[in-house]
Amino acid sequence: MKTDIILSGVGGQGILSIATVIGEAAMKENLYLKQAEVHGMSQRGGDVQSNLRISSSPIYSDLIPLGKADLIISLEPMEALRYIQYLSEDGWIITNSTPFINIPNYPPIENILGEIKSVRNHVIIDIDAIAKQVASPRTSNIVLLGAAAPFVGLESNKLEEGIKAIFERKGENVVEMNLKAFRAGLDYSLKARNNG
């Protein structure tokens, strides 16, 4: 088993919480794990990116080479494109459809989504709308994690255990909210994959 994941977004969106949940699930499976984080301006609005490598055999580098990522999970569509050269030929992009416009010359969203759609394997999901509908706007990152779950290489119930472990200190309501968000994202992705 080996999965190389690039997580991307902007500061404040919760990309590192996704990495923490995946890492927690991988460690419970006794898998090897390496993570490297690159923060731009990690306050709200700056780009945040993380390389997350999971394997059943030892991992010697925490950075993913160009063309070798199995998965790009992005909370922001333009940030997904920033790392597209890292995606392997059979890799998947799982991205939010809603832009976080933090620069004055942000390209037209139709152009960005068109580029993402040109990648054979992609799931584009409006995580913000789904989070508001099923749980809370604050769970949009966990909706995205759910959408990425079929491609991570870990069983979804293991990721749910990771969510419980990470959020349990915040109380049962927060755990349940995040589980609902995760399951909504997972359901969306499974339907999109089956219809695509």
Side-chain angles (χ1 to χ4, degrees), residues 69-174:
D70 300 298
L71 194 54
I72 294 174
I73 303 172
S74 186
L75 282 156
E76 206 289 325
M78 191 168 75
E79 293 299 322
L81 288 183
R82 185 189 300 259
Y83 301 101
I84 203 163
Q85 72 272 22
Y86 286 89
L87 193 65
S88 71
E89 196 174 306
D90 296 324
W92 282 82
I93 295 178
I94 315 299
T95 187
N96 187 10
S97 62
T98 305
F100 185 103
I101 299 174
N102 56 353
I103 54 172
N105 57 344
Y106 194 98
I109 188 62
E110 309 79 47
N111 295 358
I112 292 170
L113 296 179
E115 284 290 318
I116 292 167
K117 288 175 184 173
S118 73
V119 174
R120 180 177 34 153
N121 299 322
H122 64 271
V123 175
I124 300 171
I125 176 173
D126 187 344
I127 60 171
D128 303 316
I130 292 172
K132 283 178 196 164
Q133 181 184 348
V134 301
S136 158
R138 298 188 68 185
T139 62
S140 57
N141 60 331
I142 304 301
V143 171
L144 187 66
L145 173 60
F151 314 100
V152 171
L154 298 167
E155 293 176 20
S156 60
N157 66 321
K158 301 298 180 191
L159 292 167
E160 288 193 8
E161 287 173 20
I163 289 168
K164 290 173 189 171
I166 299 306
F167 291 106
E168 68 184 348
R169 65 182 173 79
K170 294 187 176 185
E172 196 168 320
N173 286 345
V174 172

Side-chain angles (χ1 to χ4, degrees), residues 11-84:
Q13 287 189 302
I15 201 71
L16 300 179
S17 294
I18 294 174
T20 304
V21 170
I22 294 172
E24 180 78 17
M27 288 191 300
K28 285 191 173 174
E29 290 294 290
N30 293 316
L31 295 170
Y32 292 91
L33 174 73
K34 289 228 183 232
Q35 181 179 1
E37 295 172 12
V38 177
H39 299 267
M41 294 172 17
S42 58
Q43 72 267 24
R44 291 198 178 278
D47 66 309
V48 178
Q49 179 259 340
S50 178
N51 282 223
L52 186 60
R53 308 188 79 188
I54 304 165
S55 179
S56 51
S57 54
I59 304 165
Y60 297 103
S61 171
D62 47 3
L63 296 178
I64 299 168
L66 288 170
K68 298 295 183 183
D70 300 298
L71 194 54
I72 294 174
I73 303 172
S74 186
L75 282 156
E76 206 289 325
M78 191 168 75
E79 293 299 322
L81 288 183
R82 185 189 300 259
Y83 301 101
I84 203 163

Side-chain angles (χ1 to χ4, degrees), residues 181-192:
F182 175 83
R183 291 168 188 154
L186 176 62
D187 189 49
Y188 180 94
S189 196
L190 292 174
K191 284 179 183 168

